Amino acid sequence: MAEYNRVSECVGLITLRNPPVNALSAAVRQGIVDTVQRALSDPNVKSVVICGQNGIFCGGADIKEFRSNMTGPPLIPMIHAIESANKPVVAAIEGSALGGGLELALGCHYRIAHSKARLGLPEVSLGLLPAAGGSQRLPRLIGVPAALNLITTGRHVTAAEALQLGIVDQVTDHNTVAAAVKFALSVAGRSLDPRRISTHPCPQQPDLDALFEEVMQKVRQSARGAIAPIACVQAVRAAATLPYAQGMERERELMATLFTSGQARALQYCFFAERAVGRWRMPSGARWDTSKPRPVHKAAVIGLGTMGRGITVALAQTGLSVIAVETQEKQLMEAKQAISGMLERGAKGRGVAPALDGVIYSQNIQAVADVDLVIEAVFEDIALKTKVFQQLSAVCKPGTLLCTNTSALDVDQLASETPNPELVVGMHFFAPAHVMKLLEVVYGPRSSPQAVATAMQLGKKMGKASVAVGNCRGFVGNRMLKPYIEEAFFLLEEGATPELVDQALEEFGFPMGVFRMSDLSGLDVGWRVRKGDGLVEPGTASGRSARIRQGRRYSPLGDLLCEEGRFGQKTGRGWYQYDKPGSRVARFDPWLHSFLGAYRAQHGLVARRIDHQEVLERCLYALINEGFHILDDGIAAGPEDIDVIYVSGYGWPRHRGGPMFYANMVGLAKVLERLEHYQQLHPEVPHLQPSSLLRRLVASGSPPIHKWGEAIKKLHSQL
Ligand code: NAI
């Protein structure tokens, strides 16, 4: 796991071997301890180089080991032994040096990096901190402000930035190991005292207290309840104010708290869930590893409104040629300008040339004849989409994949209007499509595995968290959102205010509560959908019967606001008021509060005190309950799929792992008990009726989340 060789006569070369990223497993750590000792005790060896095989230095700790009791030599004394060595040890960094990998390199006396290498301490993203001395050595090496930035964000830096910050001593475009060996020879015999980072204080920093106060305030704001970034600041503070040994003790204490917190478990679950969704499977038995994607070189987007523009940018940024089609001339001109602007800004941020020539604009659908894949993003109108799909089927070369970005229409119905339904899938992007991470790839019963594989691969190329889901109203994300929003409306009827509901949800960790979110995305969107469903009844009917529609409790509050022209931020009024249309700062609106009072009086509703706990239980458990229905229906293959959708597309706080993980943490029996409680109080609300899967899981002893899949399969086979 760590190979030893002597090179250039007097350099001990240690190569970490643990594919794919040379993670620091117990065997690798043992290998390092053994080989370092061997090099140090060999009188012919004057200096040592540590590198990793296959062009990767080291990806860090072996996360799989977090779940079990650690065995093998611990990391801290191992790194300490390297730092205290009396022969120079040089880290040859190719590929990446992340987490424990960078901590190992910081224990070395010198660091040489390849120009394409990336370095970082991303522990915070797993709910942890760099606890093998990283939080103590990095500030000593590069100063407190830069170390705080890297450790609290977990961001990776390029070799060039690492050189500028002083993390590495040299950057090479050539063979890194050869450069490190040459360097090691040149420093043999030199005093190592100045190179032992732990023995130095942090560089002087004026007004340290003010700096930490400012950073802590910022971190608290952006952390939305996550504790790891705060612990990271505390650890760096220890580095800046305490001697090394005491700083290490503080690092250990903070790590112990984080390690046992539910948040670290949730964040590590997210890490694995994001990988698990790539291994998709369909109810037909088709799977990711047996379905070959088709190559996509050229794609088309039809309809260049809000979504089509973002999708065009996302496609062009992957290097594809894109034909962008829009029928309205004015829209086409505006879209061209907007897309070019987005491409230019995106390219500037990434330091590359904008892919402006990659997009060809046209008003004529005939222009898409030779593309491999089309994404349709015209108005949400089934007749229009059907027409577009029929045109595409006639125009496109055989085998072209036809994808729709519909948010609510039936993908199967669209597929059935084409001669080749197996070529049709949904690619449901989220606004703005070039920014938002989530992509739901929606398959129908007739979608071919190859079509799903192609859309999933394209999503991955675009850097999306792509999740394959079955076809149903709202797919996974929006279907679960519906009961969540409805509960929020019911809570207003019963006495809550938008401020109270939003505050409870924002304290839970959502970036925006349901009402601020609704103001941002526009109240008219849901109004149109409810109108289409025949739920909206204009007028002033009062009493309970006016709030029962299609046999279930219905709140017309959103409709009444829309009738007043209150569509949210775009009209300057919604659940809140704004300084002017388009403004973003939500302010308390006295009109809304007297409107709510009058509404309750008209309907004979008596406002009662509602606390945060009830808001969370009613909104979140209703959403989770729908998640169980989705699993039971086979629309999502597993809880990880739902959780990735919610974390990457709906603002569910990552440190809470996603709704299904959260239910598992809270305890399935408790979720069931609270749903039953609320269902008894509100029998006319079907979404509070516990799903039969939830009941069956509780009856079978509430298996842990990673066993739900087996339980669902077993329960289904018993039906
Ligand atoms: P939009 O109204 O901004 O844009 C639609 C565009 O399609 C317009 O520019 C229109 O001129 C063009 N168009 C209409 N018929 C056409 C045709 N035959 N050929 C070419 N272009 C045509 O609509 P938006 O918001 O971009 O939505 C598009 C689709 O994406 C809808 O199905 C919507 O449900 C879905 N969607 C929307 C999301 C959003 O947040 N806006 C999120 C996810 C999906």
Side-chain angles (χ1 to χ4, degrees):
M1 287 294 195
E3 189 182 273
Y4 182 74
N5 285 296
R6 204 157 86 208
V7 296
S8 300
E9 285 182 24
C10 56
V11 177
L13 178 65
I14 296 172
T15 309
L16 313 186
R17 293 195 183 283
N18 183 17
V21 295
N22 302 319
L24 294 164
S25 63
V28 172
R29 296 197 304 277
Q30 188 64 57
I32 297 174
V33 169
D34 294 345
T35 49
V36 166
Q37 203 167 19
R38 189 166 158 195
L40 297 184
S41 56
D42 182 345
N44 295 317
V45 168
K46 303 288 180 241
S47 41
V48 183
V49 169
I50 303 181
C51 66
Q53 72 169 0
N54 292 337
I56 293 172
F57 180 69
C58 174
D62 191 341
I63 302 176
K64 279 179 251 135
E65 282 188 2
F66 290 178
R67 293 171 175 180
S68 53
N69 287 334
M70 288 276 260
T71 56
L75 210 47
I76 294 177
M78 181 194 94
I79 295 174
H80 202 70
I82 293 171
E83 191 183 59
S84 341
N86 53 7
K87 297 175 186 178
V89 183
V90 182
I93 302 172
E94 291 176 308
S96 49
L98 299 174
L102 180 54
E103 291 180 296
L104 167 65
L106 291 174
C108 297
H109 305 111
Y110 300 94
R111 287 154 294 280
I112 311 285
H114 189 266
S115 52
K116 295 222 166 88
R118 296 181 83 79
L119 299 86
L121 293 173
E123 286 85 345
V124 70
S125 61
L126 295 175
L128 302 173
L129 59 82
S135 75
Q136 303 304 296
R137 284 197 179 88
L138 192 65
R140 285 177 159 79
L141 183 64
I142 65 171
V144 169
L148 274 171
N149 173 277
L150 258 60
I151 294 174
T152 58
T153 62
R155 79 181 176 91
H156 300 179
V157 295
T158 60
E161 189 178 352
L163 182 66
Q164 194 193 9
L165 288 169
I167 301 176
V168 299
D169 302 287
Q170 215 178 73
V171 173
T172 177
D173 284 325
H174 307 288
N175 184 320
T176 314
V177 177
V181 168
K182 194 170 155 207
F183 186 89
L185 284 168
S186 75
V187 292
R190 273 200 213 163
S191 163
L192 291 173
D193 287 344
R195 308 300 309 177
R196 295 190 176 104
I197 299 171
S198 75
T199 61
H200 305 295
C202 287
Q204 286 280 334
Q205 176 69 42
D207 234 345
L208 204 60
D209 285 339
L211 171 77
F212 275 106
E213 208 168 297
E214 187 191 329
V215 171
M216 189 59 108
Q217 212 171 3
K218 260 199 216 148
V219 165
R220 270 190 214 285
Q221 245 171 25
S222 60
R224 299 197 268 131
I227 55 177
I230 290 162
C232 286
V233 179
Q234 290 168 327
V236 175
R237 188 179 187 119
T241 53
L242 298 173
Y244 175 73
Q246 284 175 39
M248 285 300 285
E249 184 50 28
R250 185 82 182 112
E251 184 190 90
R252 192 193 61 73
E253 285 165 11
L254 289 164
M255 179 64 164
T257 313
L258 293 179
F259 205 78
T260 49
S261 76
Q263 294 197 1
R265 268 177 61 201
L267 287 156
Q268 285 154 32
Y269 164 83
C270 286
F271 178 87
F272 288 111
E274 277 160 2
R275 278 143 193 84
V277 298
R279 299 188 290 271
W280 56 270
R281 56 193 191 276
M282 287 159 67
S284 63
R287 299 159 47 105
W288 65 284
D289 51 352
T290 52
S291 313
K292 201 166 172 279
R294 297 167 72 103
V296 177
H297 303 292
K298 200 168 180 185
V301 178
I302 314 291
L304 300 181
T306 313
M307 295 306 291
R309 295 175 191 190
I311 296 169
T312 303
V313 171
L315 288 170
Q317 281 176 343
T318 65
L320 287 180
S321 314
V322 188
I323 313 285
V325 179
E326 165 64 55
T327 40
Q328 303 299 316
E329 192 176 347
K330 186 165 167 274
Q331 273 285 78
L332 184 68
M333 297 322 287
E334 282 173 14
K336 193 171 173 180
Q337 212 174 11
I339 291 168
S340 302
M342 289 189 262
L343 283 173
E344 272 161 7
R345 284 191 295 278
K348 207 167 154 200
R350 289 176 297 140
V352 295
L356 298 177
D357 298 340
V359 186
I360 295 170
Y361 297 87
S362 175
Q363 265 183 280
N364 188 349
I365 202 160
Q366 300 289 339
V368 308
D370 66 342
V371 302
D372 307 301
L373 176 143
V374 183
I375 301 175
E376 163 280 310
V378 301
F379 301 126
E380 186 78 338
D381 173 343
I382 189 74
L384 173 64
K385 285 192 195 277
T386 304
K387 192 176 130 216
V388 169
F389 266 64
Q390 282 164 349
Q391 282 175 328
L392 288 169
S393 302
V395 166
C396 292
K397 67 182 183 190
T400 299
L401 224 66
L402 304 183
C403 309
T404 173
N405 181 47
T406 179
S407 35
L409 299 175
D410 184 350
V411 176
D412 286 349
Q413 191 186 337
L414 269 176
S416 67
E417 306 285 350
T418 72
N420 300 100
E422 72 280 3
L423 296 174
V424 176
V425 289
M427 282 184 87
H428 184 212
F429 289 82
F430 291 75
H434 61 302
V435 177
M436 290 293 287
K437 282 282 290 176
L438 178 61
L439 173 69
E440 286 180 320
V441 172
V442 186
Y443 56 79
R446 281 172 293 185
S447 307
S448 72
Q450 199 181 34
V452 177
T454 308
M456 287 294 282
Q457 194 192 46
L458 183 58
K460 193 170 167 192
K461 265 200 191 151
M462 287 188 276
K464 305 289 179 202
S466 311
V467 186
V469 301
N471 180 36
C472 66
R473 185 83 193 266
F475 314 131
V476 170
N478 287 346
R479 176 169 158 184
M480 289 170 68
L481 205 60
K482 190 165 174 262
Y484 166 85
I485 295 172
E486 280 181 358
E487 279 304 313
F489 282 9
F490 297 159
L491 285 163
L492 290 195
E493 292 184 337
E494 292 165 36
T497 60
E499 287 81 3
L500 176 108
V501 174
D502 283 353
Q503 200 191 356
L505 294 167
E506 286 162 20
E507 276 176 13
F508 179 80
F510 281 99
M512 271 187 209
V514 61
F515 293 107
R516 286 216 292 139
M517 187 66 221
S518 160
D519 272 1
L520 172 69
S521 47
L523 274 66
D524 50 323
V525 180
W527 191 35
R528 256 201 313 272
V529 174
R530 294 192 295 275
K531 273 185 180 167
D533 289 345
L535 283 162
V536 177
E537 291 171 9
T540 51
S542 60
R544 187 173 169 276
S545 59
R547 290 179 292 104
I548 298 283
R549 296 197 190 159
Q550 298 178 1
R552 48 191 289 179
R553 180 170 171 185
Y554 179 82
S555 170
L557 278 171
D559 305 337
L560 295 172
L561 257 60
C562 287
E563 280 171 23
E564 294 283 333
R566 297 177 73 104
F567 291 171
Q569 286 185 7
K570 57 182 144 187
T571 56
R573 297 273 188 279
W575 298 105
Y576 296 90
Q577 60 173 322
Y578 300 83
D579 286 344
K580 56 177 192 307
S583 291
R584 302 210 157 229
V585 183
R587 295 188 200 288
F588 175 91
D589 188 347
W591 180 91
L592 194 270
H593 288 260
S594 49
F595 160 77
L596 283 178
Y599 173 86
R600 290 186 198 114
Q602 182 195 346
H603 287 273
L605 291 158
V606 180
R608 61 184 174 84
R609 231 185 74 81
I610 289 170
D611 60 12
H612 283 198
Q613 181 74 8
E614 181 173 351
V615 172
L616 293 182
E617 288 182 349
R618 288 199 32 202
C619 293
L620 302 184
Y621 292 177
L623 176 147
I624 287 166
N625 195 36
E626 196 62 40
F628 280 111
H629 283 300
I630 283 171
L631 287 175
D632 213 4
D633 296 349
I635 294 292
E640 296 86 356
D641 300 78
I642 294 179
D643 286 336
V644 169
I645 287 172
Y646 260 79
V647 168
S648 53
Y650 289 83
W652 184 283
R654 195 178 167 85
H655 61 269
R656 293 192 191 269
M660 307 320 281
F661 181 86
Y662 178 69
N664 178 62
M665 287 285 269
V666 169
L668 299 187
K670 160 105 191 279
V671 175
L672 176 61
E673 183 266 309
R674 297 315 288 160
L675 279 167
E676 281 172 338
H677 167 78
Y678 290 117
Q679 219 260 317
Q680 268 172 11
L681 294 175
H682 307 282
E684 71 291 13
V685 181
H687 63 230
L688 290 174
Q689 195 164 343
S691 98
S692 74
L693 175 61
L694 173 60
R695 283 189 192 288
R696 278 149 38 213
L697 284 172
V698 172
S700 67
S702 299
I705 193 161
H706 62 276
K707 297 232 162 104
W708 287 6
E710 287 166 37
I712 295 168
K713 242 187 271 162
K714 212 158 100 199
L715 295 167
H716 277 184
S717 66
Q718 285 164 2
L719 288 180

